[in-house]
Amino acid sequence: MESLLGATALMGTLLLVPAVASAQTAPAATDANQEPTAVGETESAEEGQDAITVTGSRIRGRFTGADPVTTITRDDATAAGYSTTTDLLQSNAVTNGTAQINNAYGGFVTAGGPGANTLSLRGLGTSRTLILLNGRRMAPSGSRGAVGSADLNSLPNAMVERVEILNAGSSSIYGSDAIAGVVNVITRKGINGIELNAETTSPQVGAGVQKRVALMFGTKGERFSVDGSLEYYKRDGLTLGDRDFTRCSTGQRLNGTGGGMGSGDFIDPATGKPKCYGLANGTGDNGVTVNTIGLPTVKGNMVALGAGVPAGYTGDCNRFRPNPAVTTGAYPGYECVGGGTISLDVRDTFPKSILNNSLISGTENYNAYASAAYKLEALGDAEVYGEFLATRRNSSQTSNRQLSLDYNQGSLLLPAALRNLNFGNCAVASFPTCIAGTPIAARAFIDFGNYTNTQTSDFVKAGGGIRGNLPANFRYDAYASKSWSDSSYTTPVVLTDRLAQSLDVVASGSGFACRNTTGGCVAAPALSASVIGGTLPSDWRNYIAPEVTGTTKFRETTFAFNVDGPLFKLPGGDAQIAVGFEHRTQSIDDTPPNDSQRGNLLNTTSATATRGNDSVNEVYGELELPILRDTFVHDLTLTGSARYTDYRSYGSNTTWKVGGAFAPTKWLMFRGSYGTSFRAPQLFEQYLGATSGFQNAANDICGNLTTASNPNRVRNCAADGIGLGFTQNAGITVLQRGGAESGLTSETSTNLNLGGVLTPRFGDVQTSFSVDYYDLTVNNGVAQLGYATIMAQCYDSVEFRALAVCGLVKRNGTALQITTGYVNISKSYLQGLDYNARVSFPLAGGKMTLNGQVSHFLRRHSQQLPTDPIVDLIGKIINNSNAFPRFTGTFDATYAIDKFSVHYSAEWTDSTDTNAYYGAGPTYNFSTPDYWLHTISATYRTDQVRFTLGVRNLFDTEPPVTSSGAYNRVGSAPLYAGFDYVGRQFFASTAVRF
């Protein structure tokens, strides 16, 4: 209730008011014959056809409709300090505060691969958001097997005139994917000269600088026009060591008795301060063990005890840290730091190389764009037109790696005192480099240091067509395009066979040599305190961890034909119709590195090739009926659309939508629509190559059962030969695959939108207020069953092996293997309200404009299985793909006088509380307070020059901290796109027209 009151107050004052402006209708067309406009503006007619086509319809000349369309202009984005269209589209003004895959996700597995930026409207996922460029689909691009969405890095930043966002299902208009909505990026036309543009954004911390330079050009004659741009953009990486809040990730626990955040943290005996960990990604505070060696278990009274181990400890010890001062006991030179009841916190878990890891990944992008049109003065005064876009993205992310180095029993690389120990059986899968029949004597947990993933992604789209007039004021448009996406991804990965080969040595002079020298083998280093500490020979590192490269190719071809025009007269005007046909083909070919395909990557997911193709034929129609106009009501218009779709892969589908707008007066309008949408399974969801990975052994559902455990689980585990008290020692093998073999079909949805717009005018004061309600349900959703869900459904069921899901679970003795895949199971429900307000009025010889936009989520839940409980996600941060603050808002105020303007904006993310969801006890806090970001800028503009200076995150607001142990975090803050990890940033932008 307090949040709702706060939102109401903000909307009422509108004096602190969004980072971008918002409107409910598209701007009117500009006269193509007017005088040159100020720099950065354009002098365009809509594609040379003298009529606007608003996003959400294929009927020309529409300025209002049944669904709200938010427009964000180029000037809005510049004043808000957005260097790229990517930054703009991932802002709260577009995303309503939902989680996005942005530049902070470089170390995570994401669709499109590292370095790709995608958009998810309403938080329903990137595959349910359609991106258009000038009304045409942007094809997917990126790297690795899960390419299925447009990479926002491919958009031509310098040429963007405005962005139109339709937050409503529109599959009957645009086809598959338009479930949550449509974003249409519209480029500039009529530049008529040369324009240079340069922008820079410099974070206060001195790292992560962004630079962009662009050359725009254009010319036109009586029958032709040409516009284009060449652009270069670079963002330097920002590391964990560059920001205070990421230099030391702590548990942020409470002490259970009223103490604040961090009061319950473990105090590191080495520093006397709360212990720093690696990124706590939902697995707790243990981080990654380094500078430690695993040896056979002995009792604590037989060895030296390290700092932090309870004095007099006599329990088990099996993890040790080098300490040359130790000269007695079972293991001279080592002190006990783990085993038995010793806390994992005692071990070393924060190597300094972590500070070099990417917080914001770096990228270097090149972009070329051109559009042209030529009037034939034939074929119905036809115009031939074309468009070309080419981009290259060179991106990289730095991470660090732990190396588990296993020394076999009897190895010459071990000190004599350790050679005959037995730490583990070679038959256990967790020792991949052991020599068959020879036990492991010792395992060293080493900080292997940093490595860098790199990607090169090339995207090209070429299209064109012909459009002209037909009899009876009809118009036609025939179009064809081809898109190519070619990417390569490279990473240095430890190869299992090379590591094993390097560990099998013989004496050679004063050192050691590989027993098998094939491939130029380099012998592993002898175990020592320096090796355990991460000091490793560079030639050996390079030998066992060479760079491996995979490639991804995605192709899309489109043919489309559209006819629109008037049918007959109605009291409100001409009834309009648009009908058309579209054919589209897609193919994907992802070829992982050969070592990945044969499972030769140490402790890293393996993958086979993802290859497949699909095609679709569609016919559609749209109708607009202006029933009344300027009679006893101002306007009454009804709309309808339908589309028949036939995919080669799964068959056909029909979608439809009806809507209308009713304006009893010029200043009041009611609008609404109801329709169906669908999403065809993407190629990677159908054809994803078999991918293998591992989960922690402790997650085996049959582990550590007692007589008090679920009786179905006890019985079913026993049927698989697993008795009470069993402890799993081997990791769980998880295989992933596409859904084509299991008959994956499309998902469907229904979308209801109701709203009203109030636009009274009081003298020179112009106002606009709108409220829109939406209600969206996705049925038969495409989802990937998690391994934990499969285990629970199988082992907790009465039917057990009679269930189909149990066919995905296999046991080889006690070893567990689970196969996951894409299936049609999930259901999603979303309900909310959008509030928008705009006021402009003269002030002191200038003009003041105030904007406010608030999004209010009312309800959001998903069910992966019909038996899953319904849990409302509103007001919670669950993980990187489920973040739904109850309220988000953007507010701005702009004052313009003569050639100057000043802009102030604020972005608001409501507080969240996920404590009840995770059952947090007195030592955890999974809540965040209200979060505000402020921006201020000033602009000077003439017909030839525009110059903008400003500051983003004016008050250097850091993300809020939460306890670890529930979801992914960055430092001690949740991983969530709504928080700013960069800090205060100074930006400047200039444009010069010649």
Side-chain angles (χ1 to χ4, degrees):
M1 186 64 183
E2 291 179 357
S3 295
L4 179 57
L5 291 174
T8 304
L10 286 167
M11 291 299 294
T13 60
L14 289 176
L15 292 177
L16 293 177
V17 286
V20 293
S22 125
Q24 294 305 306
T25 59
T30 305
D31 184 356
N33 296 316
Q34 68 184 26
E35 292 300 314
T37 56
V39 64
E41 298 177 5
T42 56
E43 31 173 314
S44 65
E46 179 68 17
E47 296 180 345
Q49 294 299 302
D50 302 320
I52 286 288
T53 301
V54 176
T55 303
S57 173
R58 295 184 182 274
I59 293 176
R60 301 171 191 261
R62 296 183 52 171
F63 298 94
T64 61
D67 296 315
V69 176
T70 299
T71 299
I72 303 173
T73 69
R74 175 182 180 83
D75 287 346
D76 297 329
T78 300
Y82 295 122
S83 295
T84 65
T85 308
T86 297
D87 294 337
L88 169 64
L89 292 179
Q90 292 186 333
S91 68
N92 273 6
V94 177
T95 67
N96 307 121
T98 54
Q100 305 296 316
I101 302 301
N102 60 17
N103 302 311
Y105 284 73
F108 295 83
V109 178
T110 59
N117 291 77
T118 52
L119 177 62
S120 168
L121 290 178
R122 304 288 195 204
L124 288 174
T126 59
S127 58
R128 298 184 180 118
T129 298
L130 182 61
I131 306 294
L132 307 176
L133 179 63
N134 293 322
R136 313 287 187 182
R137 282 176 173 264
M138 280 288 289
S141 61
S143 62
R144 302 185 183 266
V147 173
S149 304
D151 181 4
L152 303 182
N153 291 292
S154 300
L155 294 170
N157 302 293
M159 289 296 290
V160 174
E161 173 66 18
R162 67 183 187 274
V163 176
E164 295 178 354
I165 303 103
L166 171 67
N167 274 309
S170 299
S171 287
S172 59
I173 303 294
Y174 295 109
S176 179
D177 305 340
I179 286 182
V182 179
V183 171
N184 190 10
V185 178
I186 299 170
T187 60
R188 301 168 60 184
K189 291 180 172 60
I191 294 177
N192 200 26
I194 294 176
E195 183 178 319
L196 295 177
N197 177 259
E199 295 189 14
T200 182
T201 300
S202 299
Q204 182 172 293
V205 295
V209 174
Q210 299 180 64
K211 299 175 182 178
R212 184 168 68 83
V213 294
L215 168 69
M216 282 80 71
F217 54 87
T219 185
K220 64 180 183 179
E222 291 185 3
R223 297 173 59 183
F224 73 92
S225 64
V226 177
D227 296 281
S229 65
L230 297 172
E231 181 178 325
Y232 172 79
Y233 169 76
K234 183 178 182 181
R235 182 183 65 247
D236 296 331
L238 195 70
T239 70
L240 299 183
D242 291 325
R243 296 285 283 138
D244 289 339
F245 79 96
T246 53
R247 287 182 188 143
C248 177
S249 175
T250 58
Q252 292 296 322
R253 302 292 176 84
L254 311 177
N255 63 12
T257 60
M261 295 291 288
S263 61
D265 284 357
F266 178 83
I267 301 301
D268 192 337
T271 64
K273 298 179 180 180
K275 184 175 176 64
C276 300
Y277 301 94
L279 296 183
N281 58 358
T283 60
D285 290 337
N286 52 302
V288 176
T289 298
V290 294
N291 193 34
T292 305
I293 185 171
L295 296 172
T297 299
V298 295
K299 296 300 182 182
N301 56 4
M302 299 176 60
V303 292
L305 302 179
V309 178
Y313 176 76
T314 59
D316 290 345
C317 283
N318 54 30
R319 296 294 186 271
F320 300 87
R321 183 165 49 210
N323 185 346
V326 176
T327 59
T328 60
Y331 300 128
Y334 297 94
E335 61 184 17
C336 170
V337 291
T341 60
I342 302 173
S343 170
L344 293 176
D345 292 321
V346 173
R347 305 183 200 176
D348 294 332
T349 57
F350 194 89
K352 291 185 178 180
S353 61
I354 283 181
L355 297 179
N356 298 322
N357 286 6
S358 296
L359 171 60
I360 302 296
S361 61
T363 190
E364 189 174 35
N365 301 344
Y366 303 85
N367 185 289
Y369 173 82
S371 65
Y374 181 78
K375 293 182 179 180
L376 297 178
E377 296 185 348
L379 300 177
D381 198 22
E383 182 180 66
V384 178
Y385 63 93
E387 187 174 55
F388 176 82
L389 172 66
T391 67
R392 164 164 284 193
R393 166 171 58 87
N394 294 321
S395 52
S396 63
Q397 308 81 35
T398 298
S399 301
N400 72 306
R401 175 183 291 132
Q402 179 213 53
L403 175 65
S404 297
L405 191 56
D406 296 325
Y407 291 89
N408 292 282
Q409 192 177 79
S411 173
L412 299 177
L413 298 173
L414 287 171
L418 304 181
R419 288 182 186 173
N420 294 319
L421 302 178
N422 188 338
F423 177 64
N425 191 332
C426 184
V428 177
S430 57
F431 298 103
T433 61
C434 65
I435 299 174
T438 305
I440 296 296
R443 164 173 280 191
F445 298 94
I446 300 169
D447 173 26
F448 195 64
N450 295 117
Y451 65 97
T452 300
N453 296 314
T454 60
Q455 307 84 37
T456 297
S457 181
D458 294 327
F459 177 78
V460 176
K461 179 180 180 181
I466 182 172
R467 56 193 167 208
N469 298 321
L470 294 171
N473 290 325
F474 271 74
R475 288 163 292 195
Y476 69 90
D477 188 342
Y479 173 81
S481 71
K482 177 81 174 182
S483 294
W484 299 262
S485 173
D486 289 273
S487 302
S488 63
Y489 48 98
T490 300
T491 185
V493 181
V494 177
L495 304 184
T496 303
D497 59 357
R498 288 196 178 189
L499 180 58
Q501 185 181 354
S502 75
L503 287 164
D504 185 12
V505 301
V506 296
S508 176
S510 59
F512 306 98
C514 299
R515 188 184 305 275
N516 176 6
T517 59
T518 302
C521 177
V522 178
L527 184 67
S528 66
S530 62
V531 167
I532 297 171
T535 302
L536 305 170
S538 59
D539 58 343
W540 178 71
R541 286 173 55 100
N542 295 335
Y543 170 71
I544 66 168
E547 290 187 339
V548 296
T549 299
T551 60
T552 308
K553 297 180 180 180
F554 197 100
R555 303 287 185 266
E556 181 175 278
T557 302
T558 300
F559 299 96
F561 182 76
N562 184 81
V563 174
D564 71 281
L567 283 178
F568 49 82
K569 291 284 187 181
L570 287 172
D574 289 334
Q576 300 281 336
I577 190 173
V579 295
F581 165 81
E582 186 169 331
H583 171 80
R584 191 168 62 255
T585 62
Q586 289 184 332
S587 66
I588 188 172
D589 183 345
D590 176 66
T591 305
N594 181 60
D595 286 291
S596 175
Q597 296 188 57
R598 63 190 185 96
N600 191 37
L601 308 183
L602 183 69
N603 296 329
T604 303
T605 298
S606 65
T608 59
T610 297
R611 295 190 177 104
N613 57 76
D614 205 354
S615 64
V616 58
N617 292 304
E618 300 177 286
V619 292
Y620 59 85
E622 182 182 1
L623 186 64
E624 180 186 73
L625 302 174
I627 305 300
L628 297 173
R629 179 75 176 178
D630 291 329
T631 55
F632 56 91
V633 298
H634 176 62
D635 182 49
L636 174 60
T637 301
L638 303 179
T639 61
S641 58
R643 177 179 289 251
Y644 174 78
T645 300
D646 185 16
Y647 271 88
R648 190 186 69 221
S649 60
Y650 74 85
S652 60
N653 202 322
T654 300
T655 55
W656 54 270
K657 186 175 183 178
V658 293
F662 171 58
T665 70
K666 290 184 178 181
W667 47 267
L668 177 64
M669 181 181 73
F670 301 98
R671 60 191 176 199
S673 67
Y674 180 82
T676 63
S677 291
F678 82 103
R679 182 176 77 85
Q682 295 183 332
L683 292 180
F684 77 87
E685 292 172 327
Q686 298 183 68
Y687 304 111
L688 182 68
T691 302
S692 67
F694 299 93
Q695 293 292 334
N696 195 301
N699 294 328
D700 189 335
I701 202 170
C702 291
N704 303 310
L705 296 180
T706 68
T707 55
S709 301
N710 182 316
N712 288 338
R713 184 180 301 182
V714 171
R715 183 185 65 252
N716 295 334
C717 289
D720 268 359
I722 310 296
L724 299 179
F726 164 74
T727 299
Q728 179 65 273
N729 292 316
I732 303 171
T733 302
V734 179
L735 305 177
Q736 299 182 71
R737 68 182 185 189
E741 296 177 0
S742 56
L744 190 66
T745 63
S746 65
E747 62 183 37
T748 59
S749 69
T750 59
N751 197 313
L752 171 67
N753 292 272
L754 298 171
V757 183
L758 186 65
T759 56
R761 182 164 183 160
F762 307 97
D764 292 331
V765 179
Q766 301 180 45
T767 64
S768 174
F769 305 93
S770 69
V771 178
D772 289 279
Y773 167 83
Y774 57 88
D775 188 309
L776 192 154
T777 301
V778 178
N779 295 299
N780 202 37
V782 176
Q784 189 175 36
L785 283 180
Y787 79 98
T789 299
I790 294 173
M791 277 196 303
Q793 288 290 311
C794 179
Y795 282 102
D796 289 348
S797 67
V798 175
E799 298 88 350
F800 190 39
R801 289 295 177 183
L803 285 178
V805 72
C806 286
L808 302 175
V809 179
K810 293 183 179 180
R811 292 272 182 187
N812 181 13
T814 60
L816 177 61
Q817 175 182 297
I818 298 176
T819 301
T820 70
Y822 290 94
V823 294
N824 293 104
I825 288 182
S826 68
K827 179 177 181 178
S828 297
Y829 184 74
L830 181 64
Q831 185 183 62
L833 290 163
D834 289 330
Y835 308 91
N836 288 274
R838 182 181 179 91
V839 179
S840 64
F841 52 89
L843 180 65
K847 181 179 180 181
M848 175 67 79
T849 302
L850 308 174
N851 292 287
Q853 173 182 308
V854 170
S855 179
H856 179 189
F857 283 114
L858 298 174
R859 186 181 178 193
R860 170 70 161 97
H861 74 256
S862 295
Q863 286 178 283
Q864 195 171 57
L865 295 170
T867 55
D868 288 346
I870 295 177
V871 178
D872 194 355
L873 301 180
I874 300 303
K876 301 175 179 64
I877 297 177
I878 307 301
N879 54 43
N880 53 297
S881 59
N882 283 299
F884 291 91
R886 188 171 300 277
F887 289 94
T888 57
T890 56
F891 314 92
D892 72 41
T894 302
Y895 178 70
I897 182 170
D898 195 20
K899 297 180 175 65
F900 297 91
S901 63
V902 178
H903 175 90
Y904 174 79
S905 64
E907 300 177 38
W908 168 50
T909 300
D910 192 19
S911 60
T912 66
D913 189 340
T914 321
N915 286 304
Y917 180 88
Y918 285 114
T923 60
Y924 295 88
N925 182 16
F926 303 125
S927 65
T928 63
D930 284 9
Y931 184 76
W932 289 87
L933 293 174
H934 303 265
T935 297
I936 190 167
S937 67
T939 297
Y940 171 79
R941 178 196 299 270
T942 69
D943 288 347
Q944 282 73 41
V945 176
R946 186 201 71 227
F947 187 66
T948 300
L949 284 174
V951 184
R952 280 190 59 78
N953 196 347
L954 181 63
F955 301 111
D956 199 21
T957 305
E958 290 190 347
V961 300
T962 64
S963 301
S964 66
Y967 38 60
N968 294 318
R969 296 195 309 164
V970 176
S972 298
L975 175 63
Y976 167 50
F979 299 146
D980 175 32
Y981 300 137
V982 179
R984 183 181 291 122
Q985 304 160 67
F986 304 93
F987 63 88
S989 171
T990 184
V992 180
R993 171 179 284 183
F994 299 95

